[in-house]
Amino acid sequence: VGKKHEIVSFTSDYGLEDEFVGICHGVMLRIAPHLRIIDLHHGILRHDVRHGAIVLEQAMHFLPPAIHLAVVDPAVGSERRAVVIESGSGQYFVGPDNGVLLPAVAKSGGPVGAWEIIDSEYLLHPISRTFHGRDVFSPVTAHIAGGVDPSELGTELSPDELEVLEVPEAWLHDDHLHAEVLQLDRFGNLQMNFTREQLEKVGLAADESVEIRLEGHRLEVPIGKSFADVGTEEFVFVEDSYQRFSLAVNKGDAAARLQARAGSTIIVGPADH
Amino acid sequence: VGKKHEIVSFTSDYGLEDEFVGICHGVMLRIAPHLRIIDLHHGILRHDVRHGAIVLEQAMHFLPPAIHLAVVDPAVGSERRAVVIESGSGQYFVGPDNGVLLPAVAKSGGPVGAWEIIDSEYLLHPISRTFHGRDVFSPVTAHIAGGVDPSELGTELSPDELEVLEVPEAWLHDDHLHAEVLQLDRFGNLQMNFTREQLEKVGLAADESVEIRLEGHRLEVPIGKSFADVGTEEFVFVEDSYQRFSLAVNKGDAAARLQARAGSTIIVGPADH
Amino acid sequence: VGKKHEIVSFTSDYGLEDEFVGICHGVMLRIAPHLRIIDLHHGILRHDVRHGAIVLEQAMHFLPPAIHLAVVDPAVGSERRAVVIESGSGQYFVGPDNGVLLPAVAKSGGPVGAWEIIDSEYLLHPISRTFHGRDVFSPVTAHIAGGVDPSELGTELSPDELEVLEVPEAWLHDDHLHAEVLQLDRFGNLQMNFTREQLEKVGLAADESVEIRLEGHRLEVPIGKSFADVGTEEFVFVEDSYQRFSLAVNKGDAAARLQARAGSTIIVGPADH
């Protein structure tokens, strides 16, 4: 029996409109009553593995050492693997083997061990076809928290065998950047998949404006330091709290104004002089 | 003074859009700072006692031993009783006496004691007319958790005097099943009030298709093991995670497609050959 | 090093649709793993400092002694101050200096100390321009909980220097009351900024009807003790759970019926005889 962990971070696409999240809390506390659970995000877009992967990866820097449970699982009930991954920093990651975990594992020292969860007395029976968060992932998480070694929960995998998810990278072309909307927040701010460093590589110096094309719109957008650098209802690019660029509207909703969403492509180039 | 309980499960129709749930947490932690609260479900349909009863009943198998607080209370401020019920397994249930608690109590060994909560120093004064979750049920829950005996909180009732709620049962007629939608989940899956056993009683063998009539639609629906047994956007019946049948659309929303909701009636019969 | 606090109440306009709240929990538990966090309300209307102030003020009577973190911060990234306030009852309040904290502080013994948070090793670097909840307010809250004295986190202010927010008071004119909707709850009940005492001052005795004008509607509304005092879908005034008057519709939604919202003005006068 290994050391006991106290904190679990929990990310899912279950939403808070029904009892899925509460039931998983119940299952975990039944097995490991000492656990403390941080509900990181349960509004992951339904079945959007990439969205879950980005949110968990970006959060790693801010979370305490924990067991990280992430359930975004469009293939639940099919043959996809359920896995436990141990990272170089000694943290555990539990979820389906569809790539949702690996970007966060990479931020935590990379994978140093992996196990395919197998049916055992540690799971809840009968195992449903549709709710592995309850029957597989929550009990596994809680048993690891209680000190059960992952080797008792599954068969060892090489980390090379884990499924990798393509997270889109911005690419450079002459003086343009071809990029993508990674996600929206509640305020309609559009997080892009590029950083200041990439903007500079195409010669789009900071503190100026750029021209963007997005969902049929063509706009000149100033690069600001905060929303308040532009007038009410005006567009602005700001470096967001994860050092990625976000397209925002001061006191407004950029996503609604442009009808943009996760996956929308954007071309960023020099503003017309 | 009895034993101390550590965990509370909390179910309500308060939603998470205002401070009702947070205030109840505050009241409980003020009285019993050691408490751990599982928010099972606060999205119970407004005033839908049956919905709350089904959710709590289905959850019992997955929750740790706890004091179960359930507030779905359309008659708050009228003469309905507020009650504490003790179950055969030594768990307590706190809420209005409108049937929301009893199905869960039945899953927990049945009622072995019941008390009508009376006004006392244990409640918060002035007791509002509209927020008994805060002024009556949360303090009673927390005081029981702190070891106060229910007999100090109310007058004993016979469990026979408790209000019973009719939860609809499917009924059989020749080779048909007359059933009902119990509830929807966030994904639009429709949970029905019948099980495999009842399907078999009317001769609708597993692993085949059935014909259903629901909200004016007439459809042949295969019985699958998981959503992935049918193509994208196709209907399928699966045994859900509570062993009830759910009507789902693979990667789609069955409720929206059929304009069905809790209480919609369904007739299930043999598929046309 | 001062005494350790165990409980934090957390109020914000972050919503629960993304990871903002979960990240702040993570930051706090990383610094102070013993903390217990009450999520009081994360559905404060976006950027509505007044809404946040009213919710926290009304909640104080029901919360345990705690550090109260409130982030409604439309001017994040500009020059507005970030502050810690100590109240006469020995509780701490952390948030932007825009008035969101002071009404609650007043309910807790008034301000006896105030500090402007300054950049230090206690904050998370790089400090983002847009997410001070994560980089400034959560770490400050957790360090105070861990026993760090506020004087190590900032420079002392006179409480007189703190920004005050105007919270509207109802005013009396002859036999009329000019009042305002303070907030809506999930059920569409409209909380007004007047009490029974103010109604009596203009001679509108209790237990009768009043005439109201609100958003172009002119209605006679009975003053009841509970929603059930009127028929289904009928309007009624009830003293709400904070002793303020709320305009409700029995089993209906008053806000939707009248198209009213926070800030809507209302005139309350004698009913026509």
Side-chain angles (χ1 to χ4, degrees):
Chain A
V1 174
K3 65 179 172 180
K4 291 205 175 192
H5 294 257
E6 189 177 322
I7 296 179
V8 164
S9 88
F10 185 13
T11 301
S12 77
D13 66 353
Y14 287 152
L16 295 170
E17 289 127 70
D18 43 42
E19 78 278 19
F20 295 177
V21 169
I23 291 274
C24 291
H25 280 233
V27 169
M28 287 190 266
L29 289 179
R30 209 171 142 128
I31 295 167
H34 67 290
L35 264 194
R36 314 195 52 190
I37 303 165
I38 297 171
D39 288 299
L40 178 59
H41 196 333
H42 295 296
I44 299 299
L45 297 173
R46 188 185 175 193
H47 291 167
D48 189 336
V49 177
R50 192 181 102 180
H51 186 207
I54 292 166
V55 163
L56 185 59
E57 178 202 22
Q58 292 191 152
M60 286 307 294
H61 183 61
F62 303 100
L63 295 175
I67 305 175
H68 303 282
L69 168 63
V71 190
V72 187
D73 195 9
V76 62
S78 71
E79 293 300 308
R80 68 97 185 86
R81 283 189 293 229
V83 293
V84 177
I85 306 173
E86 185 179 359
S87 76
S89 67
Q91 301 184 59
Y92 290 97
F93 297 76
V94 179
D97 180 28
N98 58 17
V100 70
L101 302 171
L102 278 181
V105 172
K107 285 276 166 95
S108 171
V112 298
W115 295 265
E116 176 175 0
I117 298 167
I118 53 166
D119 195 2
S120 74
E121 73 200 68
Y122 292 110
L123 309 188
L124 296 197
H125 295 91
I127 297 173
S128 66
R129 295 252 163 194
T130 54
F131 196 0
H132 286 196
R134 180 191 71 191
D135 301 332
V136 176
F137 299 119
S138 289
V140 162
T141 299
H143 282 297
I144 292 175
V148 174
D149 194 86
S151 64
E152 295 185 53
L153 297 161
T155 55
E156 199 158 1
L157 290 172
S158 161
D160 296 345
E161 296 175 72
L162 295 167
E163 291 291 327
V164 174
L165 180 79
E166 289 299 319
V167 176
E169 298 276 346
W171 54 279
L172 320 178
H173 182 243
D174 286 347
D175 61 352
H176 287 73
L177 204 57
H178 292 254
E180 196 169 303
V181 176
L182 281 179
Q183 59 166 336
L184 278 67
D185 70 17
R186 179 198 185 198
F187 301 148
N189 301 321
L190 297 161
Q191 185 185 46
M192 304 293 172
N193 65 342
F194 64 87
T195 60
R196 179 174 301 278
E197 197 185 0
Q198 286 168 304
L199 262 193
E200 285 170 351
K201 274 189 189 155
V202 292
L204 298 170
D207 300 333
E208 285 194 12
S209 290
V210 291
E211 187 189 83
I212 65 165
R213 295 172 194 218
L214 177 63
E215 295 292 346
H217 301 272
R218 187 172 177 158
L219 294 169
E220 189 172 326
V221 177
I223 298 175
K225 287 193 172 153
S226 76
F227 302 155
D229 284 354
V230 296
T232 296
E233 292 296 331
E234 287 178 21
F235 283 95
V236 62
F237 265 122
V238 293
E239 241 180 306
D240 77 7
S241 59
Y242 302 102
Q243 272 101 61
R244 283 173 165 143
F245 270 68
S246 269
L247 182 59
V249 166
N250 186 20
K251 300 193 195 300
D253 183 322
R257 285 273 292 276
L258 300 172
Q259 305 217 274
R261 55 194 176 69
S264 291
T265 56
I266 180 172
I267 302 174
V268 185
D272 231 356
H273 302 289
Chain B
V1 175
K3 64 180 173 178
K4 290 204 176 192
H5 294 258
E6 190 176 321
I7 296 179
V8 164
S9 88
F10 185 13
T11 301
S12 77
D13 64 354
Y14 288 153
L16 295 170
E17 290 127 69
D18 43 42
E19 78 277 20
F20 295 176
V21 169
I23 292 274
C24 289
H25 280 233
V27 168
M28 287 190 267
L29 289 179
R30 208 172 144 127
I31 295 168
H34 67 292
L35 263 195
R36 314 195 53 191
I37 302 165
I38 297 171
D39 288 300
L40 178 59
H41 196 332
H42 295 295
I44 299 299
L45 297 173
R46 188 187 175 192
H47 290 167
D48 190 337
V49 177
R50 193 181 101 179
H51 186 208
I54 292 166
V55 164
L56 185 58
E57 178 202 22
Q58 292 191 152
M60 286 307 295
H61 183 62
F62 304 99
L63 295 175
I67 305 175
H68 303 283
L69 168 62
V71 189
V72 186
D73 195 9
V76 61
S78 71
E79 292 301 310
R80 69 95 187 87
R81 282 189 294 229
V83 293
V84 177
I85 307 174
E86 185 178 359
S87 76
S89 68
Q91 301 184 61
Y92 290 97
F93 298 76
V94 179
D97 180 27
N98 59 16
V100 70
L101 302 171
L102 278 181
V105 172
K107 285 274 167 96
S108 172
V112 299
W115 296 265
E116 175 176 0
I117 297 167
I118 54 167
D119 194 2
S120 74
E121 72 199 68
Y122 292 110
L123 309 187
L124 296 197
H125 294 91
I127 297 173
S128 66
R129 295 254 163 193
T130 55
F131 196 0
H132 286 195
R134 181 191 72 191
D135 300 332
V136 176
F137 298 120
S138 289
V140 161
T141 298
H143 281 298
I144 292 175
V148 173
D149 194 86
S151 65
E152 295 185 52
L153 298 160
T155 54
E156 199 158 1
L157 290 173
S158 162
D160 296 345
E161 297 174 72
L162 295 166
E163 291 291 327
V164 174
L165 179 78
E166 289 299 319
V167 176
E169 298 275 347
W171 55 279
L172 321 178
H173 182 243
D174 287 346
D175 61 352
H176 287 74
L177 205 57
H178 293 254
E180 196 169 301
V181 177
L182 281 179
Q183 59 166 335
L184 278 66
D185 70 17
R186 179 197 186 198
F187 300 148
N189 302 322
L190 297 161
Q191 185 185 46
M192 305 292 172
N193 64 342
F194 63 88
T195 60
R196 179 174 302 278
E197 197 185 358
Q198 287 168 303
L199 263 194
E200 285 170 352
K201 274 189 189 157
V202 291
L204 298 169
D207 299 332
E208 286 194 14
S209 290
V210 291
E211 187 188 84
I212 66 165
R213 295 174 194 216
L214 177 63
E215 294 292 346
H217 302 272
R218 188 173 176 157
L219 294 169
E220 188 172 327
V221 178
I223 299 175
K225 287 194 172 152
S226 75
F227 301 155
D229 285 354
V230 297
T232 295
E233 292 296 333
E234 286 179 23
F235 283 94
V236 61
F237 265 122
V238 293
E239 240 180 307
D240 78 7
S241 60
Y242 302 101
Q243 273 101 59
R244 283 172 164 142
F245 270 69
S246 269
L247 182 60
V249 167
N250 186 20
K251 300 194 196 298
D253 183 322
R257 285 272 291 276
L258 300 173
Q259 306 217 272
R261 53 193 179 71
S264 291
T265 56
I266 180 171
I267 301 174
V268 185
D272 231 358
H273 301 289
Chain C
V1 173
K3 63 177 173 180
K4 290 204 176 193
H5 294 258
E6 189 177 323
I7 296 178
V8 164
S9 87
F10 185 13
T11 301
S12 77
D13 64 355
Y14 287 153
L16 296 170
E17 289 127 71
D18 44 41
E19 78 277 19
F20 295 176
V21 168
I23 292 274
C24 290
H25 280 232
V27 169
M28 286 190 267
L29 289 178
R30 209 172 143 127
I31 295 167
H34 67 291
L35 263 194
R36 314 196 52 191
I37 302 165
I38 297 171
D39 288 300
L40 178 60
H41 196 332
H42 295 296
I44 298 299
L45 297 172
R46 187 184 176 196
H47 290 168
D48 189 337
V49 177
R50 192 181 102 180
H51 186 207
I54 292 167
V55 164
L56 185 58
E57 178 202 23
Q58 291 191 150
M60 286 307 294
H61 183 60
F62 304 100
L63 295 175
I67 306 175
H68 303 283
L69 168 62
V71 189
V72 186
D73 195 10
V76 62
S78 71
E79 292 300 309
R80 69 96 187 87
R81 284 189 293 228
V83 292
V84 177
I85 307 174
E86 185 178 0
S87 75
S89 68
Q91 300 184 60
Y92 290 96
F93 297 76
V94 178
D97 180 28
N98 59 16
V100 70
L101 302 170
L102 277 182
V105 172
K107 284 275 167 95
S108 171
V112 298
W115 296 265
E116 176 175 0
I117 298 167
I118 54 167
D119 195 2
S120 74
E121 72 200 68
Y122 292 110
L123 309 187
L124 296 197
H125 296 90
I127 296 173
S128 66
R129 294 251 163 197
T130 56
F131 195 1
H132 285 196
R134 181 190 72 191
D135 301 332
V136 176
F137 298 120
S138 288
V140 161
T141 298
H143 282 298
I144 292 175
V148 173
D149 194 86
S151 64
E152 294 185 52
L153 298 161
T155 54
E156 199 157 1
L157 290 172
S158 162
D160 296 345
E161 297 175 71
L162 296 167
E163 291 290 327
V164 174
L165 180 78
E166 290 298 319
V167 175
E169 298 274 347
W171 53 281
L172 320 179
H173 182 243
D174 285 347
D175 60 352
H176 286 74
L177 205 56
H178 292 254
E180 196 169 301
V181 176
L182 282 179
Q183 60 167 335
L184 276 66
D185 69 19
R186 179 199 185 196
F187 301 147
N189 302 322
L190 298 161
Q191 186 185 46
M192 304 292 172
N193 65 342
F194 63 86
T195 60
R196 179 174 302 279
E197 196 185 1
Q198 287 168 304
L199 263 194
E200 285 169 352
K201 274 188 189 157
V202 291
L204 299 169
D207 299 332
E208 285 194 12
S209 291
V210 291
E211 187 188 83
I212 65 166
R213 294 173 194 218
L214 176 63
E215 295 293 346
H217 301 272
R218 186 171 176 159
L219 295 169
E220 188 172 325
V221 178
I223 299 175
K225 286 193 173 154
S226 76
F227 301 155
D229 285 354
V230 297
T232 295
E233 293 296 332
E234 287 179 23
F235 283 93
V236 61
F237 265 123
V238 293
E239 242 180 306
D240 77 7
S241 61
Y242 302 101
Q243 273 101 60
R244 282 170 166 146
F245 269 69
S246 269
L247 181 60
V249 166
N250 186 20
K251 300 194 195 299
D253 183 321
R257 285 271 293 275
L258 300 172
Q259 306 216 272
R261 54 195 178 69
S264 290
T265 56
I266 180 172
I267 301 175
V268 185
D272 230 357
H273 301 288

